Amino acid sequence: LPTEIAGNGGFAEASTGDILQSEELIRDVLIVFFTNSTWIMRSTGNPVEPFRFYRLNVSRTTNAPYGSVAYDITASSMGARGLIMSDGVGVDRYDENVIDLFEDINNNSFAQCFAQRYDSQNQTWMLYPADETDSSTSDRILVYNFLEETWAIYKPNLGALVQTPTSPNTLSCLGLGFTTTDYTWND
C-alpha cells in the first residue's frame, strides 16, 4: 500500500549521520539526543506525514545513553562537552557555574553514566566514573537539586549499597531493591 495514504505506515527521518543516544518526552515534543546534535520530533497535524524532525543544534554532544532525564518543561543529558538541557526550542549547558564538578567525570567512559530523577527529594542523581581512576565503571554520584539549582558530589560507602558481586565498588543503576533469605526450621 502506498505510504501517502494515512494509516499505512511510513517513517520520520532525522537527516543526520549521528548515532541516536537517548530521548525524552516533554509536553508534546520528543527531544532526541544524538552523538553530536539535538533534534526534536514534533507532530505536524498532517495525516500523511504525522511527525517531523527539527534540528535544534549541532554543537552539544551526548555520550551517555542512560544519562538523560525528563523534567516538567525540559530534558537533560550528559556528554563529553558538558551537561546539557533542552526546552524544545534551544539547547544549553546547565552546569557552567560548577564546571569543576563536570571535569571530574572520565570523558572516555560516558557510556557507563546513568541518571535518575527523584521527585521526593527534588534531585537528580548521576552515576559516573571519576577521572582520577583508571576504571570505566561508575564510582561517584553527581547530585543536582533541580529546585534550588545546587550541586554535590557523593562518594558513597559502597559496602552499604547493593552492587555487582564480581565488580566491587562499582555502580551501574539506581532503584529500589530487596534481599531475600531462605529460612530454615532452626531460624
Side-chain angles (χ1 to χ4, degrees), residues 37-116:
S37 59
T38 306
W39 295 66
I40 60 169
M41 186 176 185
R42 176 173 281 151
S43 173
T44 64
N46 180 350
V48 175
E49 184 185 17
F51 299 99
R52 183 178 291 159
F53 276 100
Y54 300 92
R55 183 177 62 208
L56 294 182
N57 81 25
V58 293
S59 63
R60 306 292 185 196
T61 63
T62 300
N63 308 90
Y66 309 107
S68 65
V69 174
Y71 298 96
D72 295 335
I73 57 173
T74 59
S76 69
S77 190
M78 304 171 74
R81 295 187 197 146
L83 304 178
I84 60 174
M85 188 170 284
S86 176
D87 59 359
V89 176
V91 181
D92 292 307
R93 287 186 67 171
Y94 69 102
D95 65 339
E96 288 180 338
N97 59 342
V98 289
I99 194 71
D100 55 331
L101 297 181
F102 169 75
E103 290 176 351
D104 187 43
I105 301 172
N106 185 335
N107 279 336
N108 297 321
S109 301
F110 267 97
Q112 179 62 32
C113 294
F114 180 87
Q116 180 72 41

